[in-house]
Amino acid sequence: MNADLSSLLLALGIFAVGFVSIGPNILAIIGTSMERGRRSGARLALGVGLGSGIWATLTVAGLTALIAAFAYAITVLKILGAAYLIWLAFKAFRSAASRNGHIAVKAARGDRLLLQGLAIQMTNPKAALHWIAIVGVGLGPNAPLWVGFVLIVSCTIMSVLAHLAYAVTFSTQPVVTLYRRSRRVIEAGLGVFFTFAAFKLATYRS
């Protein structure tokens, strides 16, 4: 019970910290919020958040099936997840070392922003590895069903709220300016965290 809870909390921590790292989905929300208003950004954000819930469900279900069929499947998936976290750490450190970091904003097009946000999240080629890393930490081979359920529900709620927060917050230019000033410190911290998470995932024994 304690081991399952600890793994779940670490997985949720990785997921939460990931929101600080600006990716294509967040850039789309930022751009839409700044150019088309807070309401449009919120609609796009809701679609992205729901897409995270779908990814979480698919990954948990897939890992459970693989673990049941192949005893060593979890080891392979953990290696892939750890490698992805190392890549995120490398990108964060590289961004921290760069003097000319910037936030590129692109406004989303089309009227069906919720569906567009869902499409952005579901077609992100890095999403699968991202979720393998998260679920690989939080869902061990002997984890009870409640762990997977809590992970799915928690990640969905966190994703919706966090992306909505971006839509609300980045509709004002002063916030973008503040982020640019502290970007290098934030990225360096992310690099340290992702390196630690990769180590924990690679060395975790259930």
Side-chain angles (χ1 to χ4, degrees), residues 1-34:
M1 177 67 176
N2 291 334
D4 292 328
L5 184 58
S6 297
S7 298
L8 177 61
L9 292 176
L10 178 59
L12 292 177
I14 294 173
F15 184 63
V17 172
F19 291 122
V20 185
S21 181
I22 304 297
N25 52 347
I26 295 178
L27 287 176
I29 294 170
I30 291 174
T32 301
S33 299
M34 293 182 65

Side-chain angles (χ1 to χ4, degrees), residues 20 72 97 178:
V20 185
Y72 297 101
L178 178 63

